[in-house]
Amino acid sequence: MDYSIEPVDTKAYKCSDPLTARLEDDDDPYFAYVNDEEYTGETVTLNVVKQNAEKTYNISVTGGTATVNGKAVTKAAESTVVSLTAADKEGYAFKNWSVTSGSVTFTDANAKKTTFTMPASDVSIKAVYEAKKIKGLTAESARDEYLEGETFKLKGNAIIEYDDQTTKKLNSPDITISPSGPLTSDVTEVTVSYNKNPEIKAIVPVKVKKKVDWPVMNDLPANQPKDIWETATENIPWIDVSCGDDMVPDLNFVFYDVTTQDPDDKITVTTDSNGFIKDLKLKRDHNYLIYCDSDEYFMQNKYVWVHDGQLRNIKDVYPDPQDETKPVYNYAPINNLTVVKSTQSTTSNYSRYTTAIPVEYNGKAMSGIKFRLVSPVETLEATTDENGILKADLLEDVNYMVSVESDKYAVEAFPLAVKDKSEYRMGKYAYDHSDCQGVGPRYNGVITPLQLVDKGTERRNDKTITSVSGNTTISGMNFKDLYCVEKKMDTKVSGLSDGTYDVYDIEAMNPHRSEVSKLAAGDFTVTEKTRAGVKVKAVYMLSSDGKLKALSFKQTKSGDPVTFKADSIGVNNVVIQYYDSLGKYTDVMGHGAVWNKGGKTPYIAKFENTDPTKNDETIDNFMGISIDGKELVRDQDYVAKAGSVITEIRPEYMETLGAGTHTLTAYFMDGDPVSVNFTVKAAAAEGAGTGAGHSLTGTTVTKVSVVKTGDSFSWTPVFMFMAAVIALAVVVVFEKRRKQQR
């Protein structure tokens, strides 16, 4: 049968489209047709509408939305209460509602949320805005410190602040940064201004460190001059560590600072439970060697440059396809470290390399020569084999000072270092770190033997280098291309009073790679400028554990440079200690004296501390004497005795002086030198007396030389006796003349 489907309440509702269905029955009833079409089983929708529905009118809202009972509407019937909500507009504040067309009365036209009653007509409504008043602009620097030549970087976004306490983040096109280019060392602030209103700006203070003006002998960006005392660090993005498709947790990696070559500048990090290296901070612009510290996994060493917040592969260099003589520096960022399972064919400790350096003397291979290789971290001994080959397992990128232990042969001391040359698609080779010349086999196929010299001639090519600042000079080896830099460090020394010492880091630098060259063994003489007007009390080497090792030194007078001996350069800091207060010395005998050649008595000069309470210490602070600037040898050219200090120049030395005036200078550890002038006269004519002139006879001088030690002996009675004798003589002469006149 056919059925029609319609609402029961035909007065209130009607079907908008008629709907009929045919019901058929075989075994089970089913609909066969719907609206005369075969029924497929799909859902059929019956559309109904209200009979005599209310008429609705259009609502158009610009800058907001209209809702009825919480639902957005674009139509409403007359007398319906419609709600309005203004939209948020960045940088603008809502002002009021405006009627474009229609008859509308708002509950509150100035409220962001309001209502109106729908009239019997279409309406158009607009939200009106006005620009917010800007209170200010804030901006921060991404770095605490910049290196000259770097550009300013914002930390996050610059932010506009409005009077209503709201804010707006500004993107790069919204702002102008001045200066926009490379920063110079005289820049102290950067201006960030709002492009839409340039008067709105933020002044950001910046610190720009002057780029080090040190020698450089290459054009590799990663090897340009670096501040070896850099303290600023870069936060390195997460580095994932994988083995095949798997991440590797709990794996150790070592980051070794190749720029400083300092054993203390070595960081060990461990991957987290997910196989990531996180929270890694490395010194800005320094170069690092990375190796895997594991017996289970193996990785080829990585060589990176910490630059602009990234680890950059400094071996990512290749010849320019257009000109093979020019390199292309790609320096791609490294975000992943790949390891493999260790096997018998791999080495987990890949930081060592075995050298094979031929050793020759006058063109002959030398076997059985014992070498000593000293680095800041270890000392090795190796002997050339039967073919004259020196084999030693050296740590990569560590400097070893080379010397020979032999009574017959020697070698000019130099720092030996193993360097990777994978940027040339080659392996590792040994180099003289003082000039970057190869030692032994090189990647270009050339073999450079290590040349022995005769014992005693190994220092014939020594030279003196002066630091870039001019404050330090060093001698003791052929430094070749090495130069010197130094810095006064802010280091506290246990056991020394604050303000009484300075700590210096004195380093040799390789200009080809901008790396420190640690000279861990040698016989160096260093001269260092000191504080103005102060006297050096002691010079020390300061070990990493805080212990002080005293060094022999010389300083002529307060404020003069101090010269000291050192057995290494750059391995330990140097401490120069000063006297809190200086003693003052004066001469009390010897000035103006005359010594006649041919005499058998010494020339005597005596010196005292102007503070009598310190005279017992004078002999202990006495350092020596010189005549006319030439240092005399104690107990050979002269003797020095307490009382306070009495110096007796032997007649044999006095005879070597020419006739005329000479200057004797006495030196003291805790005070400035004191000088006296004396005269040497040619031998007297035959029959004339000899000895020291002035008021002292030869006999008197002899007596002085046997004065008891200490200051218990006083010259006062002698002088008083002499004065009395002279006075008596004057009286006698005067009385005789008076009688003659009578």
Side-chain angles (χ1 to χ4, degrees):
M1 295 180 63
D2 291 331
Y3 291 85
S4 63
I5 302 173
E6 59 184 20
V8 173
D9 188 357
T10 56
K11 290 183 178 181
Y13 297 94
K14 69 175 182 178
C15 292
S16 58
D17 297 306
L19 183 62
T20 60
R22 177 173 290 181
L23 183 65
E24 294 187 356
D25 186 8
D26 288 338
D27 294 327
D28 294 310
Y30 65 95
F31 285 107
Y33 295 93
V34 175
N35 285 347
D36 296 329
E37 292 185 2
E38 188 174 352
Y39 179 55
T40 61
E42 296 178 353
T43 299
V44 178
T45 301
L46 177 64
N47 295 312
V48 298
V49 295
K50 281 186 177 182
Q51 294 277 37
N52 301 319
E54 290 181 309
K55 187 175 181 180
T56 59
Y57 301 93
N58 294 323
I59 303 173
S60 174
V61 181
T62 302
T65 57
T67 60
V68 174
N69 296 325
K71 294 182 179 180
V73 296
T74 58
K75 293 176 180 290
E78 182 183 4
S79 300
T80 303
V81 177
V82 180
S83 297
L84 291 176
T85 303
D88 291 329
K89 188 175 181 181
E90 193 173 48
Y92 291 85
F94 173 79
K95 184 179 181 183
N96 60 268
W97 293 100
S98 173
V99 178
T100 305
S101 64
S103 178
V104 173
T105 300
F106 302 106
T107 305
D108 184 353
N110 297 319
K112 191 174 181 180
K113 291 184 177 182
T114 190
T115 62
F116 70 93
T117 301
M118 188 69 188
S121 65
D122 294 341
V123 296
S124 293
I125 302 169
K126 179 181 180 181
V128 179
Y129 296 85
E130 60 183 358
K132 292 182 181 181
K133 187 175 181 181
I134 298 175
K135 181 180 179 181
L137 185 149
T138 59
E140 291 185 71
S141 171
R143 291 180 175 174
D144 297 329
E145 184 179 86
Y146 291 85
L147 182 64
E148 188 177 31
E150 294 179 331
T151 56
F152 177 80
K153 293 183 181 297
L154 273 177
K155 182 179 181 180
N157 298 82
I159 298 176
I160 287 288
E161 298 177 272
Y162 298 105
D163 272 355
D164 63 357
Q165 308 303 316
T166 59
T167 60
K168 174 186 177 182
K169 291 183 178 180
L170 301 180
N171 297 318
S172 296
D174 299 326
I175 59 174
T176 296
I177 296 175
S178 179
S180 59
L183 298 172
T184 55
S185 59
D186 59 342
V187 174
T188 58
E189 61 185 30
V190 168
T191 302
V192 180
S193 55
Y194 184 33
N195 290 340
K196 293 182 180 179
N197 186 351
E199 293 183 0
I200 304 299
K201 60 184 66 175
I203 305 300
V204 184
V206 295
K207 182 180 179 181
V208 183
K209 196 161 69 172
K210 189 174 181 61
K211 192 173 183 180
V212 291
D213 185 19
W214 293 346
V216 60
M217 294 186 178
N218 62 66
D219 60 355
L220 294 171
N223 287 348
Q224 293 304 296
K226 305 177 187 302
D227 183 356
I228 62 173
W229 297 289
E230 180 66 82
T231 57
T233 58
E234 296 277 10
N235 295 317
I236 306 303
W238 291 4
I239 302 172
D240 62 89
V241 178
S242 60
C243 179
D245 295 331
D246 299 324
M247 302 290 284
V248 185
D250 302 321
L251 185 59
N252 291 332
F253 288 88
V254 176
F255 288 74
Y256 170 64
D257 192 335
V258 178
T259 297
T260 65
Q261 303 271 321
D262 191 335
D264 293 335
D265 286 337
K266 186 168 67 172
I267 299 174
T268 300
V269 297
T270 305
T271 57
D272 65 11
S273 58
N274 295 314
F276 286 94
I277 296 176
K278 298 179 181 178
D279 302 322
L280 178 62
K281 293 183 178 181
L282 300 177
K283 290 183 180 179
R284 184 195 305 169
D285 220 36
H286 282 208
N287 293 348
Y288 283 81
L289 180 154
I290 310 172
Y291 63 87
C292 178
D293 185 14
S294 170
D295 293 328
E296 185 179 358
Y297 292 94
F298 165 78
M299 181 190 76
Q300 295 281 356
N301 289 356
K302 301 293 183 184
Y303 308 87
V304 298
W305 174 31
V306 180
H307 186 65
D308 206 16
Q310 294 278 350
L311 294 183
R312 299 188 175 273
N313 182 4
I314 59 178
K315 299 300 180 180
D316 189 8
V317 182
Y318 53 89
D320 188 333
Q322 306 301 322
D323 185 352
E324 292 189 356
T325 64
K326 295 181 178 180
V328 176
Y329 314 115
N330 192 32
Y331 293 166
I334 293 179
N335 301 311
N336 167 265
L337 297 176
T338 302
V339 297
V340 297
K341 285 283 189 177
S342 293
T343 66
Q344 291 182 346
S345 61
T346 61
T347 305
S348 59
N349 186 1
Y350 204 73
S351 59
R352 285 195 182 271
Y353 169 81
T354 303
T355 64
I357 303 173
V359 176
E360 294 183 355
Y361 174 75
N362 291 336
K364 177 185 176 182
M366 299 296 292
S367 62
I369 302 297
K370 187 176 181 179
F371 281 82
R372 185 175 176 85
L373 309 172
V374 183
S375 79
V377 294
E378 64 179 2
T379 296
L380 303 178
E381 292 184 349
T383 303
T384 56
D385 64 15
E386 66 276 8
N387 297 313
I389 304 299
L390 176 63
K391 296 179 180 179
D393 291 332
L394 305 184
L395 288 166
E396 184 178 349
D397 269 312
V398 171
N399 287 352
Y400 293 82
M401 288 297 289
V402 180
S403 62
V404 171
E405 296 187 2
S406 168
D407 294 333
K408 186 176 182 180
Y409 303 106
V411 65
E412 287 191 5
F414 72 96
L416 181 67
V418 172
K419 294 291 181 180
D420 177 270
K421 288 297 175 181
S422 56
E423 66 267 40
Y424 299 110
R425 309 301 185 262
M426 300 294 179
K428 302 184 196 311
Y429 299 90
Y431 288 86
D432 180 344
H433 201 245
S434 64
D435 61 6
C436 278
Q437 295 300 308
V439 181
R442 297 185 63 189
Y443 63 90
N444 58 6
V446 175
I447 297 179
T448 306
L450 183 58
Q451 300 294 335
L452 298 179
V453 297
D454 293 326
K455 189 79 170 182
T457 66
E458 65 271 18
R459 302 189 63 170
R460 60 188 174 187
N461 294 318
D462 281 10
K463 69 177 184 179
T464 299
I465 58 173
T466 301
S467 66
V468 174
S469 69
N471 293 332
T472 308
T473 60
I474 309 175
S475 61
M477 63 175 279
N478 182 0
F479 293 97
K480 298 174 185 174
D481 296 341
L482 294 179
Y483 61 96
C484 173
V485 294
E486 81 286 288
K487 182 179 181 180
K488 187 184 292 185
M489 308 300 289
D490 185 19
T491 303
K492 298 293 184 182
V493 180
S494 176
L496 300 184
S497 301
D498 290 345
T500 64
Y501 62 89
D502 290 323
V503 179
Y504 292 90
D505 185 13
I506 302 172
E507 301 283 0
M509 290 286 292
N510 176 315
H512 300 274
R513 306 175 66 93
S514 285
E515 295 172 353
V516 169
S517 189
K518 297 291 185 184
L519 310 179
D523 181 14
F524 302 100
T525 300
V526 182
T527 299
E528 182 68 37
K529 290 184 179 179
T530 61
R531 297 182 189 178
V534 296
K535 185 76 173 178
V536 173
K537 183 177 183 180
V539 180
Y540 304 98
M541 280 288 188
L542 178 64
S543 63
S544 58
D545 60 2
K547 294 181 179 179
L548 293 172
K549 175 185 175 182
L551 306 178
S552 62
F553 73 95
K554 287 185 179 180
Q555 185 192 34
T556 301
K557 62 182 179 179
S558 300
D560 276 5
V562 62
T563 298
F564 57 91
K565 290 288 188 178
D567 58 8
S568 64
I569 298 295
V571 177
N572 295 309
N573 285 349
V574 173
V575 179
I576 299 177
Q577 185 185 16
Y578 307 101
Y579 282 97
D580 292 327
S581 60
L582 291 180
K584 185 171 179 60
Y585 295 89
T586 185
D587 64 287
V588 294
M589 177 183 287
H591 184 70
V594 175
W595 192 88
N596 295 311
K597 281 183 174 289
K600 303 299 182 182
T601 58
Y603 163 62
I604 299 174
K606 179 181 179 181
F607 304 92
E608 290 183 348
N609 194 310
T610 56
D611 182 352
T613 65
K614 295 183 177 181
N615 265 326
D616 286 343
E617 305 169 7
T618 300
I619 190 67
D620 297 324
N621 289 318
F622 174 72
M623 295 174 62
I625 60 174
S626 68
I627 292 182
D628 300 335
K630 181 181 178 180
E631 185 177 358
L632 274 64
V633 179
R634 189 170 181 172
D635 296 329
Q636 175 180 309
D637 301 327
Y638 73 100
V639 294
K641 301 178 180 180
S644 296
V645 172
I646 301 172
T647 59
E648 300 178 2
I649 318 301
R650 296 186 188 280
E652 293 82 3
Y653 186 87
M654 296 296 293
E655 290 290 348
T656 66
L657 301 177
T661 301
H662 299 272
T663 300
L664 180 148
T665 303
Y667 301 92
F668 299 89
M669 288 190 294
D670 63 339
D672 287 335
V674 181
S675 296
V676 296
N677 293 327
F678 64 92
T679 301
V680 173
K681 286 190 174 181
E686 186 175 350
T690 61
H694 206 41
S695 61
L696 300 177
T697 65
T699 303
T700 303
V701 171
T702 303
K703 289 181 179 179
V704 170
S705 67
V706 294
V707 171
K708 295 180 181 180
T709 59
D711 278 325
S712 58
F713 177 83
S714 173
W715 287 91
T716 302
V718 177
F719 292 145
M720 292 177 63
F721 174 76
M722 292 174 66
V725 171
I726 293 172
L728 179 62
V730 170
V731 171
V732 172
V733 171
F734 177 78
E735 183 64 23
K736 183 177 181 181
R737 288 183 179 179
R738 188 172 64 83
K739 290 180 178 180
Q740 289 175 346
Q741 290 174 353
R742 287 178 180 176

